[in-house]
Structure formats: C-alpha cells, structure tokens
Amino acid sequence: MVDGAVGAVGSEPESSDSLRTFGAVVQALREHAGLNRGEFADLVRFSKHTVASVELGRRMPDPAFVDRAEEALGNTGALRKAAGHLARQPGLAAWFRQWARMEAGAITLYTYECRLVPGLLQTEAYARQLFDDQLPPLQDEQIEVQWAARADRKRLLVERPNTQFSFVLEEQLFLRRTGGTEVTHELIGHVLEMAELRNIEIQIMPLVRESHAGLAGPIQLLETPDAKWYAYNEGQRGGLLFSDPKEVSVLQKRYARMRAQALTSEDSVSLLQRMRGAL
C-alpha cells in the first residue's frame, strides 16, 4: 500500500505506549463508574467496537470521544490532558515511520506518483476505496486506523505554509476514476483547492509523452532544515529510504527532468478543471 499504509510484510500497526496507557485509563475510569462497554458506548455516542479499540490502545481517539468520555466519567480533566500526549504512529507501516517523521519536519517535499494520487492529496472517499481494495482484505478496525493516520499526515499541507510542496502526477490517475465518478469529481476538486495554496505546486504529466524521465517508478524527495536531502521509494511490499547523496542526486535529476516534461502549473490546473467538467 502506497504511503506506508498497513498491508505489507512486517507492517502491522504497532500500538504505542501512550495509546495503551490512555486506553487503560479510560477502561479503569469506566469500570470505576460501574459501566460496561455497551453502556459507556451509548454515553459517548461511539460504537462498542470503537470503545474496545480505544481501551486496547489500537485506535487514536477522536476529540469528540475524549470530550464525551470526560463528561461521562466525572470531568476530572485526566483524559483531556492525556490525549495531548498521544503518539500518532498506529496506521503507518514500521518501514514508513522514519520517513513520516522526516516528512513532518521537511522544508521541501517533492512527490512523483504514477500509480495513485499520493496520500497527502487524497480525500477520505478516495482513500477508503484504496483500503477496501487491499488484499488480503482489511478489517473495519484496520481501515479506521489507517484513515486516522492518513488524515493526520494530510494536515502537513496546511499546517506547514513555509514548506515547499511539489507534486508531479500522471494524468491517468484521474482518468481511472478510482471509486467512481463522484469520488473522482470530489478528488479533483480537492486537488484544485490544494493547488491554490502558494506553497503547493501541482503538475500533471500528460497521458501522451514521448520522453519521460520517471518510467522507473514513483519518487519521493525531501530536504531537512539542515539542508540534507533524502529519498524514499515504495513498492508492493515495502519501502526503501535513501540517504546516500549519490543515490539521492540521481533521483533529484530525474525529478527535475520530469518537472520540465510535465505541464506547467497553470496548464495542469486547466486540464484538471476540464477533466472535472467532463465527469
């Protein structure tokens, strides 16, 4: 699964210590209040399954869950304080987490994708279609964990206005209509909205292109605050982080060539608008 989602060998989400501790506190307070999971679930207006997932440290609690749990369990403030220290690692594959941590602090992030729209630009409906298509199939709980992790990563685009984001995307990603017409219409609209932000550049690689520097596959590149560059490539069953300057330089050259080969930002926006209008 692209973007380090669960599904590859050795990539089952690991429950962090903070999540397990938070879950244990919720369970202890619930039991002290004399509530079973079903009764507590009714009070917080989440499913019994969700309550169990939080208590077992397998799910990042929604803010609404924390607020309602506080009200149901005495308004001690303990849960709100504890929620501020939760680690958002579940839902990311173990081999992707190092890249995700670097990504969160990057000052430059370049992405070329030829298989599907990158996680940072996905809508919830599009992402859930990808999760539904996973083989072997994912459980509902796994899908919820993955979407929570992806939604958390997506905030980078708006929370880091000083980070330069560049995306080179194949035209075919939108022509495929993954999830159907409505999902694609919403997806294109979201990508167009992101393209309006001054720190985000989106270029479309046209379907017909006689010369293409990216035929070897997807590329992700980032620059750290201390001006060091790293690269990351992901395949069907795992990912590979590159720190060797010579290897990174090769991928930088390929990405630079693709930026020259793709449509300009203005032409890319025009193409996406026409594609959305044709749906």
Side-chain angles (χ1 to χ4, degrees), residues 207-277:
L207 194 61
V208 178
R209 192 68 178 82
E210 293 183 3
S211 178
H212 194 321
L215 295 181
I219 297 173
Q220 293 191 62
L221 295 158
L222 67 74
E223 181 186 11
T224 65
D226 56 355
K228 293 183 179 179
W229 283 85
Y230 295 86
Y232 177 79
N233 290 345
E234 189 166 279
Q236 288 272 348
R237 303 287 285 170
L240 186 61
L241 178 67
F242 295 89
S243 59
D244 184 338
K246 293 182 179 179
E247 294 294 332
V248 174
S249 178
V250 170
L251 298 176
Q252 285 178 309
K253 290 180 175 64
R254 293 179 183 177
Y255 192 84
R257 178 67 61 84
M258 281 189 288
R259 293 182 77 175
Q261 294 171 332
L263 299 178
T264 65
S265 297
E266 293 78 8
D267 289 344
S268 296
V269 166
S270 295
L271 175 59
L272 288 172
Q273 290 172 336
R274 292 196 301 273
M275 293 174 70
R276 182 177 58 173

Side-chain angles (χ1 to χ4, degrees), residues 190-221:
H190 176 67
V191 172
L192 286 170
E193 288 180 9
M194 293 298 99
E196 293 177 358
L197 300 178
R198 65 172 59 92
N199 63 319
I200 298 177
E201 181 181 54
I202 294 175
Q203 294 180 259
I204 302 299
M205 184 68 76
L207 194 61
V208 178
R209 192 68 178 82
E210 293 183 3
S211 178
H212 194 321
L215 295 181
I219 297 173
Q220 293 191 62
L221 295 158

Side-chain angles (χ1 to χ4, degrees), residues 3-277:
D3 277 337
V6 174
V9 174
S11 63
E12 194 65 22
E14 299 173 3
S15 178
S16 68
D17 290 341
S18 62
L19 278 174
R20 286 191 292 268
T21 299
F22 180 87
V25 171
V26 172
Q27 182 174 353
L29 291 174
R30 172 180 62 75
E31 292 175 347
H32 180 73
L35 300 170
N36 61 38
R37 280 180 176 163
E39 293 168 335
F40 181 62
D42 289 339
L43 290 174
V44 297
R45 303 196 296 280
F46 281 86
S47 69
K48 183 178 177 181
H49 177 75
T50 296
V51 171
S53 295
V54 171
E55 290 187 350
L56 293 172
R58 295 196 301 242
R59 174 178 177 139
M60 177 71 70
D62 294 342
F65 180 98
V66 176
D67 289 340
R68 295 170 192 169
E70 277 283 9
E71 295 174 4
L73 299 176
N75 276 317
T76 64
L79 295 182
R80 288 193 180 94
K81 290 180 180 178
H85 300 282
L86 292 176
R88 298 177 178 273
Q89 288 300 321
L92 298 180
W95 37 262
F96 184 73
R97 289 174 187 163
Q98 182 179 1
W99 178 261
R101 288 193 295 270
M102 296 168 65
E103 181 184 67
I107 61 172
T108 306
L109 188 66
Y110 294 162
T111 302
Y112 163 64
E113 187 55 74
C114 56
R115 303 163 302 177
L116 54 120
V117 172
L120 290 176
L121 292 174
Q122 291 174 9
T123 61
E124 181 173 357
Y126 182 87
R128 287 183 179 277
Q129 180 64 51
L130 300 180
F131 299 148
D132 286 343
D133 289 340
Q134 275 288 284
L135 291 173
L138 299 176
Q139 299 175 355
D140 289 345
E141 178 185 333
Q142 290 176 300
I143 291 176
E144 293 306 318
V145 169
Q146 289 199 24
W147 167 245
R150 186 151 301 178
D152 188 51
R153 283 184 60 232
K154 277 166 51 66
R155 295 208 305 265
L156 287 176
L157 295 180
V158 294
E159 291 184 352
R160 296 191 61 83
N162 295 322
T163 296
Q164 178 189 359
F165 295 92
S166 167
F167 297 91
V168 176
L169 310 175
E170 293 287 343
E171 181 181 352
Q172 68 191 30
L173 303 182
F174 303 97
L175 294 174
R176 187 175 293 127
R177 300 190 184 184
T178 299
T181 300
E182 291 186 6
V183 171
T184 303
H185 190 278
E186 179 191 28
L187 176 68
I188 294 177
H190 176 67
V191 172
L192 286 170
E193 288 180 9
M194 293 298 99
E196 293 177 358
L197 300 178
R198 65 172 59 92
N199 63 319
I200 298 177
E201 181 181 54
I202 294 175
Q203 294 180 259
I204 302 299
M205 184 68 76
L207 194 61
V208 178
R209 192 68 178 82
E210 293 183 3
S211 178
H212 194 321
L215 295 181
I219 297 173
Q220 293 191 62
L221 295 158
L222 67 74
E223 181 186 11
T224 65
D226 56 355
K228 293 183 179 179
W229 283 85
Y230 295 86
Y232 177 79
N233 290 345
E234 189 166 279
Q236 288 272 348
R237 303 287 285 170
L240 186 61
L241 178 67
F242 295 89
S243 59
D244 184 338
K246 293 182 179 179
E247 294 294 332
V248 174
S249 178
V250 170
L251 298 176
Q252 285 178 309
K253 290 180 175 64
R254 293 179 183 177
Y255 192 84
R257 178 67 61 84
M258 281 189 288
R259 293 182 77 175
Q261 294 171 332
L263 299 178
T264 65
S265 297
E266 293 78 8
D267 289 344
S268 296
V269 166
S270 295
L271 175 59
L272 288 172
Q273 290 172 336
R274 292 196 301 273
M275 293 174 70
R276 182 177 58 173

